[in-house]
Amino acid sequence: MITARKIKLTITENREEGYNFIHNELREQNQALNMAMSHLYFNYVAREKIKLADETHKIKLAEDQGYLDQKYRELKEAKTDKRKQNIRKSIQAAKKRLETLRKTENKQVAEKFKEIIAASEKTNLRDFITDSFNLTSDTKDRLTQKVSADFKNDIADVLRGERTLRRYKKSNPLYIRGRNLTFYTEGGEYYIKWMKSIVFKCVLGVKKQNSLELQKTLDKVIKGKYKVRDSSIEFKKNSLILNLTLNIPVCNSFDKVEGRVVGVDLGMKIPAYVTLNDSDYIRRAIGSIDDFLKVRTQMQSRRRNLQRALKSTKGGKGREKKLKALNQFEVKEKNFAKTYNNFISSNIVKFASDNKAKQINMEFLSLSETQNKSVLRNWSYYQLQQMIKYKANRVGIKVKYVDPYHTSQICSKCGHYEEGQREKQEVFVCKNPECEDFNIEVNADYNASRNIAKSNKYITKKEESEYYKIN
């Protein structure tokens, strides 16, 4: 599993030389990225124009050849001398047109373009970067990989006019090879040796929890348990940050019960309710929607007040300060939602691993459905899904999405469906006289979670849902 960690760095020796090297490399890299992208685009457009010219030329040749063949057939079938004479004249004119077309200027231009492209492509992208920029060998390798991948992803959208050719900003991080990072400890501190004899000291911060987590991660890197992949370095608020990419092996150490599935229901009262498909008493309610919404709505209210205040401020330092505060609130909101998603996802995966489940089932909800649930509207459901998925994959648990149609309105005991069984938001009552839970009030989130756990109606897009098929 590929994951990333952010580590604050400082250079221990020859600080000025080290920082100057990084700044110069960043500046050169930015220019190289943009020129390399233009280089690929020019070659692609020229090749496409040549291909189009060749195809058009071939079509015209085929049409004229077809016309000539038709005239030859007509000549054989002609019965009068006058008719034959007219056809022969047409054949002579068609032959001249065909001969002229074979020597057309468009073809000559295409041949010249081919020569230009052939000469250009003799210098591949890696060599082009080498000839034009003074960068280290590993940076050139990473640039070649990065630009080639970005161009391949973007070119279709560029040609459709849905986006412009990608331009790389000056704030783009410096791409580095993982093989050039050597981690070690000395005197209780963590260090990273890089190229040009530059040594970074890892600043793990003052927050104990974050510091301990990073220490454990770095210890595993040093012991070889985690493999360092190609990463990047950037400056943020005058701090040097390493975006460390790691390949963490999937842990399948715990025994799993065959066929055991965890169902996850995202509710209105309880953020996440989890149960098992093969047990009706093992369950857990995760989080408190009241606490979450209280903090989130307070932040949103303060943001709205600031926005109203900005309307009456024309300009000057007052407006600038309020805009800065507004941006800070936006960042705080995102961070709070992300932290809450981390809390929810970690507990869901922990519940699954503690109960030796092989799989986690979740409802497949598109954006429109998430907007109708206040709890989902106030945090990123997609982000939560991704967190659950990568944390589950890390411990060898599969994640699948099921059709959400009627999951909250069917009895998890007998499978009976009838309108009005969910009498209140938090209460479900089965109205099937033959059911064990007949007329017994059951927690609605628990009931929905059990239905999700038991469901085998797996879907990958909303059009596969029964709701969309019926309506």
Side-chain angles (χ1 to χ4, degrees), residues 409-418 420-423 427-442 447:
Q409 297 167 319
I410 294 174
C411 177
S412 59
K413 277 276 187 183
C414 65
H416 177 70
Y417 168 73
E418 184 178 328
Q421 290 191 129
R422 191 161 182 175
E423 295 186 343
V427 175
F428 178 91
V429 177
C430 182
K431 297 186 177 181
N432 178 13
E434 298 178 1
C435 181
E436 294 178 21
D437 289 342
F438 175 62
N439 275 342
I440 298 175
E441 291 189 355
V442 178
N447 183 71

Side-chain angles (χ1 to χ4, degrees), residues 8-27 174 194 198-201 203 233-235 238-241:
K8 185 176 179 181
L9 304 176
T10 183
I11 298 177
T12 55
E13 298 178 4
N14 300 322
R15 290 170 57 85
E16 188 174 350
E17 291 179 15
Y19 283 117
N20 285 339
F21 171 74
I22 294 171
H23 280 296
N24 290 335
E25 199 80 355
L26 276 167
R27 186 164 50 251
L174 176 64
W194 191 39
I198 295 174
V199 177
F200 299 113
K201 179 183 176 182
V203 183
I233 293 176
E234 62 183 330
F235 286 97
N238 297 323
S239 295
L240 188 61
I241 304 296

Side-chain angles (χ1 to χ4, degrees), residues 9-223:
L9 304 176
T10 183
I11 298 177
T12 55
E13 298 178 4
N14 300 322
R15 290 170 57 85
E16 188 174 350
E17 291 179 15
Y19 283 117
N20 285 339
F21 171 74
I22 294 171
H23 280 296
N24 290 335
E25 199 80 355
L26 276 167
R27 186 164 50 251
E28 286 277 308
Q29 178 190 264
N30 180 255
Q31 295 175 6
L33 283 166
N34 288 306
M35 286 193 66
M37 182 63 77
S38 299
H39 176 80
L40 289 177
Y41 183 67
F42 167 77
N43 284 350
Y44 182 88
V45 171
R47 280 196 302 272
E48 290 301 308
K49 284 187 176 294
I50 292 167
K51 192 188 295 182
L52 181 62
D54 281 348
E55 288 175 357
T56 304
H57 187 262
K58 287 175 182 176
I59 291 169
K60 186 64 177 171
L61 279 172
E63 288 176 350
D64 284 5
Q65 185 65 54
Y67 175 79
L68 188 61
D69 293 340
Q70 182 185 346
K71 289 299 176 184
Y72 275 123
R73 287 193 296 270
E74 289 178 2
L75 183 62
K76 288 182 180 179
E77 296 171 358
K79 296 179 179 179
T80 64
D81 291 339
K82 187 175 181 181
R83 174 66 176 159
K84 289 179 180 179
Q85 187 178 1
N86 289 336
I87 293 173
R88 286 192 183 100
K89 287 181 181 179
S90 298
I91 288 173
Q92 290 299 320
K95 280 183 176 180
K96 286 182 180 179
R97 285 198 307 271
L98 198 59
E99 188 177 352
T100 303
L101 186 62
R102 289 194 176 104
K103 297 177 180 179
T104 185
E105 185 178 349
N106 287 337
K107 188 178 179 184
Q108 292 172 4
V109 171
E111 291 296 334
K112 288 179 182 178
F113 263 111
K114 285 179 182 178
E115 291 175 10
I116 295 170
I117 293 300
S120 173
E121 289 188 336
K122 283 179 183 176
T123 305
N124 61 34
L125 188 59
R126 174 66 162 75
D127 293 335
F128 169 77
I129 295 170
T130 300
D131 295 341
S132 306
F133 300 96
N134 183 26
L135 290 163
T136 60
S137 178
D138 283 335
T139 302
K140 293 171 190 173
D141 290 340
R142 287 283 283 119
L143 284 183
T144 304
Q145 295 171 3
K146 172 69 176 172
V147 175
S148 299
D150 288 345
F151 182 79
K152 186 177 180 180
N153 290 333
D154 296 350
I155 187 61
D157 292 338
V158 172
L159 294 176
R160 285 196 296 266
E162 294 177 2
R163 64 164 296 164
T164 58
L165 193 65
R166 186 187 295 250
R167 308 304 297 170
Y168 297 91
K169 298 180 180 179
K170 291 181 180 179
S171 58
N172 211 57
L174 176 64
Y175 303 115
I176 58 176
R177 301 303 298 267
R179 66 190 181 193
N180 286 334
L181 298 174
T182 304
F183 293 76
Y184 65 94
T185 58
E186 190 175 291
E189 301 288 351
Y190 293 86
Y191 296 91
I192 305 172
K193 188 177 180 181
W194 191 39
M195 62 176 64
K196 302 288 183 182
S197 300
I198 295 174
V199 177
F200 299 113
K201 179 183 176 182
C202 300
V203 183
L204 301 184
V206 294
K207 291 185 179 180
K208 189 175 181 181
Q209 185 178 356
N210 293 343
S211 177
L212 287 173
E213 196 271 338
L214 281 176
Q215 283 179 28
K216 290 178 181 178
T217 300
L218 292 174
D219 285 335
K220 290 180 179 179
V221 170
I222 293 169
K223 292 175 182 178

Side-chain angles (χ1 to χ4, degrees), residues 364-376:
F364 185 97
L365 298 179
S366 64
L367 182 62
S368 59
E369 282 92 21
T370 64
Q371 296 305 306
N372 293 327
K373 291 189 176 184
S374 64
V375 61
L376 300 182

